[in-house]
């Protein structure tokens, strides 16, 4: 039970903190949110079976249940690697528009289904290559970039009935200020005056400095968004009078320390930095754990094949704010730091309700992955809070609910609640270290729960996919995680035989990258611990003379460092040759020769790796053998192409023996 009624009686109070709305209120609260994207962080979620997928979504979005998020921010896919994978664009090419690629549309609809009031934010990290007209920069043609972003917003409404509330220009880039102005102009021209602009979604400066000197820029930017501000802002940003958001924050393992990080910054982003929204990267750790920043969502859901997931402490830390406040409430001016460490904030709906959130997180139990956290001390303390102004009449036991979180290795002991009496307009708490309290006049919060999900299981040792899906609900095949390029279900009208429904790599132009993308296209699948494996796949090279494809085992890198991946790569080329390499870039050549493979014909590749040797088959016949497997001893399976080119794959099969030594 989350509601546990107890009385609090504390002696020896040392500090008194006033909570009052006399003299006015602080800033308007805009809500707590999370990001799906930047990138491919929700990739595995879509493949969860019911009822587990809906349960995960409830923990994230359902009001008064779990995290109960107020804001949901998604990546506007740009076909490029943006941390843990690529997310497909709605416009691979200028004459191509498809508003059903990827899973962000579905995820936004699921969020809205649970909370119709949730605010939606879109932000591009990368862009299709055509926008840069040959350059790896999206702002040389700002009218084209604005058109691209606005088309996504229009498509969200036209095809999914989704109203986007906020849009950014580009993550972690400093855009040309003309592009922000043109974005506003293009939004207004298309009847989207209600859509607000967040900029620069990077750092406070130089945009805050520029806004104070450019009246037009000041007018069109509604929110200044900063990433990982360390709870601090800058004077110029405050001077603009604009809303200040930590528009990407947290990025920390969702263990107890991660929960402490989240608890501390949710309070102190406002106390120290006047930030009225904090948005977590990321929403849910639903990607292969060995990719960069594994296990850094508010919760973990990385095993759709088993249905297992974990509701982590950041979910309940989020609930301390989200279940007892709403966007449109106001912070009191009387917020701040506690005498012996920690912080408190108070918010009101201006209708008589008040919520107070107190955290006493210690340094070592609230370290975020960035920025560095200076040393500080927190100790147990008694704190008296004195209600004044319109809250002075709160005197009886019932209206005040206390939700209490305490660090503990026993998950059954940390949630509890109590109701206590306010005497003479004051109440006193005995605060320990690493604790979070929510005190509120609301009575709607609860710790939602479902029966325990299935036990964790490794990826199946035997897995196959023939891609025979006539009307796929998502463009990606289950469990394949694109790390460069974009792989989609495809209907092959040129081959009415056994390969009508295939899996196709569809990019032919390098995108405007956010990190250093690989020059090859690669999609990984399976268990990173796989060592001895046999992979079979039908392949179809579409590019004569220069085309090439591969299947691979023991692939040891994904995410941003994908180009550095090593493993065992079995390549065939349209010129009739083959190659076995120890790396994705093809520089470590282990064997090469003639194969007889031709473009625009189907061929079957088989790669067998066992111990320190490997062999390969072409169309069921030995092509090469006894290759020493220099390099990684385990890793994912993968498929891919030698450059960004059209190529198809079918009848993928992998059989593996797991070695966890």
């Amino acid at each position: 039970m989350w509601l546990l009624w107890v009385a609090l009686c504390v002696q020896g109070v040392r500090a008194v903190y006033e909570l009052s709305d006399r003299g006015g209120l602080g800033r308007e609260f805009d809500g707590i949110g999370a990001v799906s994207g930047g990138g491919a962080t929700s990739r595995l979620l879509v493949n969860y079976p019911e009822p587990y997928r809906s349960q995960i979504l409830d923990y994230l979005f359902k009001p008064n249940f779990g995290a109960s998020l107020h804001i949901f921010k998604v990546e506007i896919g740009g076909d490029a690697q943006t941390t843990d994978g690529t997310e497909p664009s709605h416009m691979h090419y200028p004459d191509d528009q498809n508003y059903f690629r990827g899973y962000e549309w579905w995820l936004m609809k699921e969020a809205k289904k649970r909370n119709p009031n949730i605010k939606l934010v879109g932000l591009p990290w990368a862009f299709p290559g055509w926008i840069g007209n040959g350059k790896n920069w999206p702002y040389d043609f700002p009218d084209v970039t604005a058109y691209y972003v606005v088309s996504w917003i229009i498509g969200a409404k036209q095809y999914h009935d989704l109203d986007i509330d906020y849009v950014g220009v580009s993550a972690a880039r400093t855009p040309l200020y003309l592009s922000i102005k043109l974005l506003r102009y293009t939004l207004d021209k298309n009847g989207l005056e209600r859509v607000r602009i967040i900029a620069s979604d990077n750092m406070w400066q130089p945009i805050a400095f520029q806004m104070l000197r450019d009246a037009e820029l000041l007018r069109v930017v509604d929110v200044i968004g900063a990433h990982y501000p360390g709870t601090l802002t800058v004077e110029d940003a405050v001077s603009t009078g604009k809303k200040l958001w930590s528009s990407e924050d947290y990025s920390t393992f969702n263990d107890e320390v991660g929960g402490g990080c989240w608890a501390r910054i949710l309070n102190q982003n406002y106390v120290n930095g006047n930030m009225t929204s904090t948005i977590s990267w990321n929403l849910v750790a639903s990607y292969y754990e060995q990719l960069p920043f594994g296990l850094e969502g508010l919760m973990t859901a990385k095993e759709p094949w088993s249905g297992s997931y974990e509701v982590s402490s950041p979910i309940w830390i989020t609930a301390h704010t989200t279940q007892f406040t709403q966007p449109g409430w106001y912070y009191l001016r009387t917020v701040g730091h506690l005498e012996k460490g920690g912080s408190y904030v108070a918010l009101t709906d201006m209708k008589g309700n008040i919520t107070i959130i107190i955290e006493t997180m210690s340094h070592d139990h609230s370290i975020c992955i960035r920025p560095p956290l200076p040393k500080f001390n927190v100790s147990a303390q008694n704190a008296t809070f004195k209600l004044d102004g319109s809250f002075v009449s709160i005197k009886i036991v019932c209206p005040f609910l206390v939700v209490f979180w305490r660090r503990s290795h026993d998950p059954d002991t940390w949630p509890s609640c109590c109701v206590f009496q306010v005497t003479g307009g004051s109440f006193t708490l005995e605060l320990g270290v690493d604790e979070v309290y929510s005190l509120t006049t609301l009575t709607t919060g609860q710790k939602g729960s479902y029966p325990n999900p299935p036990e964790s299981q490794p990826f199946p040792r035997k897995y196959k996919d023939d891609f025979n899906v006539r009307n796929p609900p998502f463009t990606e095949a289950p469990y394949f995680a694109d790390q460069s390029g974009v792989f989609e279900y495809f209907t092959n009208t040129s081959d009415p035989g056994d390969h009508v429904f295939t899996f196709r790599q569809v990019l032919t132009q390098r995108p405007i990258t956010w990190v250093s993308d690989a020059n090859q296209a690669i999609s990984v699948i399976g268990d990173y611990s796989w060592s001895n494996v046999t992979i079979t796949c039908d392949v179809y090279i579409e590019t004569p003379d220069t085309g090439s494809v591969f299947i691979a085992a023991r692939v040891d890198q994904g995410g941003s460092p994908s180009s550095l991946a090593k493993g065992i790569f079995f390549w065939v080329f349209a010129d009739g040759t083959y190659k076995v390499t120890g790396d994705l870039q093809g520089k470590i050549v282990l064997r090469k020769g003639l194969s007889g493979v031709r473009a625009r014909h189907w061929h079957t590749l088989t790669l067998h790796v066992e111990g320190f040797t490997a062999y390969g088959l072409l169309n069921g016949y030995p092509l090469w053998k006894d290759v020493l497997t220099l390099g990684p001893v385990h890793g994912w399976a993968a498929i891919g192409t030698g450059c960004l080119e059209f190529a198809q794959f079918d009848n993928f099969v992998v059989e593996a023996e797991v070695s966890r030594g």
Side-chain angles (χ1 to χ4, degrees), residues 115 130 153 242 303 388 436 537 573 646:
N115 178 7
W130 61 269
I153 297 172
K242 297 292 183 174
E303 289 188 16
D388 199 1
V436 181
C537 189
F573 301 86
F646 290 130

Side-chain angles (χ1 to χ4, degrees), residues 133-352:
N133 196 27
K135 295 183 180 180
N136 196 45
W137 183 248
Y139 302 121
D140 284 349
F141 305 93
D143 55 334
V144 175
T145 305
Y147 161 74
Y148 172 80
V149 172
V150 172
S151 69
W152 182 86
I153 297 172
I154 293 172
K157 182 63 175 179
Q158 182 175 350
Y159 294 97
H160 301 285
D161 196 27
L162 291 168
D163 291 308
I164 305 301
D165 298 285
Y166 296 89
V167 67
V169 183
S170 179
R173 280 190 178 99
T174 300
L176 299 175
Y177 300 120
L178 175 60
S179 67
I180 302 174
K181 298 174 185 178
L182 276 174
L183 177 59
R184 179 73 272 163
Y185 171 80
T186 308
L187 287 166
D188 294 347
K189 183 179 178 181
N190 286 276
L192 296 168
E193 293 87 354
R194 62 175 293 278
V195 179
R196 303 303 178 198
I197 292 177
I198 304 173
S200 62
D201 240 311
N202 185 10
M203 297 181 290
W204 299 121
Q205 299 288 23
I207 192 166
F209 176 87
Q210 189 65 27
M211 286 171 66
L212 293 175
R213 287 150 183 82
D214 184 335
E216 180 67 7
L217 184 64
L218 182 67
R219 182 185 69 83
V220 302
V221 173
D222 300 282
V223 178
I224 304 180
H227 290 190
Y228 309 98
T231 76
L232 302 174
T233 188
V234 297
E235 185 177 345
D236 281 351
V238 177
S239 297
T240 64
K242 297 292 183 174
K243 292 178 177 292
L244 308 179
W245 287 13
S246 179
S247 53
E248 184 177 316
D249 216 329
Y250 176 61
S251 285
T252 302
F253 295 129
N254 54 27
D255 53 16
E256 288 187 350
V257 174
C261 154
W262 189 230
R264 178 176 55 80
I265 65 177
L266 284 182
N267 264 23
Q268 296 195 28
N269 275 349
Y270 185 76
V271 171
N272 301 336
N274 292 291
M275 287 166 260
T276 55
S277 176
T278 298
I279 299 177
S280 162
W281 188 90
N282 58 66
L283 173 74
V284 53
S286 199
Y287 45 98
Y288 290 117
E289 181 178 344
Q290 292 78 14
L291 290 169
F293 306 101
L295 304 180
E296 293 198 359
L298 296 178
M299 61 180 291
T300 298
K302 60 183 177 65
E303 289 188 16
W305 48 87
S306 71
S308 181
Y309 63 86
E310 182 178 354
V311 184
S312 308
S313 64
I315 289 289
W316 307 118
I317 292 298
T318 310
H320 270 277
T321 299
T322 55
Q323 290 201 24
F324 308 111
T325 62
Q326 288 297 323
W329 284 42
Y330 279 81
Y331 285 98
L332 302 189
R333 291 183 178 179
T334 51
V335 302
H337 294 278
L338 298 169
E339 183 180 73
K340 294 186 177 181
S343 64
Y344 66 98
V345 296
L347 302 94
T348 180
D349 63 356
M350 299 183 293
K351 299 176 182 177

Side-chain angles (χ1 to χ4, degrees), residues 88-90 97-106 109 155 158-160 472-476:
S89 169
H90 60 290
Q97 294 193 41
N98 184 329
Y99 296 93
F100 294 92
R101 293 189 182 113
Y103 44 82
E104 302 294 7
W105 313 105
W106 165 81
K109 288 190 287 188
Q158 182 175 350
Y159 294 97
H160 301 285
F474 300 101
T475 51
E476 304 102 328

Side-chain angles (χ1 to χ4, degrees), residues 335-521:
V335 302
H337 294 278
L338 298 169
E339 183 180 73
K340 294 186 177 181
S343 64
Y344 66 98
V345 296
L347 302 94
T348 180
D349 63 356
M350 299 183 293
K351 299 176 182 177
N353 287 307
I354 184 173
T355 290
I356 306 146
I357 304 144
I358 305 164
E359 60 81 20
T360 60
M361 304 312 302
S362 64
H363 178 278
D364 290 350
H365 294 133
S366 66
I367 298 172
C368 303
I369 196 169
R370 53 188 163 181
L373 183 62
K375 282 290 183 182
F376 61 85
N377 295 315
V378 179
S379 58
Q381 57 196 299
N382 295 336
T384 293
F385 293 87
K386 180 174 177 57
L387 301 176
D388 199 1
S390 58
F391 313 115
V392 72
S393 60
I394 298 175
K395 296 179 179 178
I396 60 174
V397 174
C398 296
F400 238 11
L401 177 69
V402 180
V403 184
F404 171 52
W405 183 89
R406 171 178 287 152
R407 260 189 91 248
S408 170
H409 293 291
D410 182 353
D412 294 327
T413 62
W414 62 258
S416 62
C417 294
C418 52
V419 170
F420 62 97
Q421 189 165 2
V422 179
T423 304
S426 298
F427 62 92
T428 300
L429 292 174
E430 183 177 358
L431 304 175
V433 178
D434 293 329
E435 296 180 350
V436 181
Y437 289 78
S438 291
L439 301 91
T440 180
T441 53
L442 300 179
T443 58
T444 52
Q446 63 172 317
K447 185 175 185 289
S449 64
Y450 284 111
N452 290 335
E455 293 294 319
S456 174
Q457 297 289 336
F459 195 97
R461 289 197 301 113
K462 295 183 179 181
Y463 180 77
K464 63 181 180 179
D465 195 335
D466 60 13
F467 310 112
N468 289 341
V469 183
R470 185 173 296 273
N471 295 301
F474 300 101
T475 51
E476 304 102 328
Y479 313 148
F480 280 93
D482 302 349
Q483 302 303 308
S484 179
V486 174
F487 295 74
E488 298 179 351
Y489 280 117
F490 181 65
T491 302
N492 184 8
T493 57
S494 66
D495 184 349
D498 296 332
H499 302 284
V500 175
F501 300 108
T502 67
F503 200 42
R504 191 189 198 202
Q505 201 293 118
V506 298
L507 286 193
T508 61
Q509 183 179 13
R510 186 174 176 82
I512 297 174
T513 57
W514 189 72
V515 294
S516 181
D517 282 28
N519 292 321
Q520 303 76 18

Side-chain angles (χ1 to χ4, degrees), residues 70-119:
H70 302 135
I71 297 172
F72 182 37
K73 180 177 179 178
V74 304
E75 177 176 352
I76 301 176
D79 293 336
Q81 171 64 248
T82 52
T83 298
D84 292 293
T86 67
E87 299 206 23
S89 169
H90 60 290
M91 296 178 70
H92 292 322
Y93 310 103
D95 58 352
D96 162 67
Q97 294 193 41
N98 184 329
Y99 296 93
F100 294 92
R101 293 189 182 113
Y103 44 82
E104 302 294 7
W105 313 105
W106 165 81
L107 199 44
M108 285 189 285
K109 288 190 287 188
E110 292 296 321
K112 276 286 188 182
K113 183 189 302 182
R114 287 161 175 79
N115 178 7
N117 295 319
I118 198 168
K119 299 296 183 182

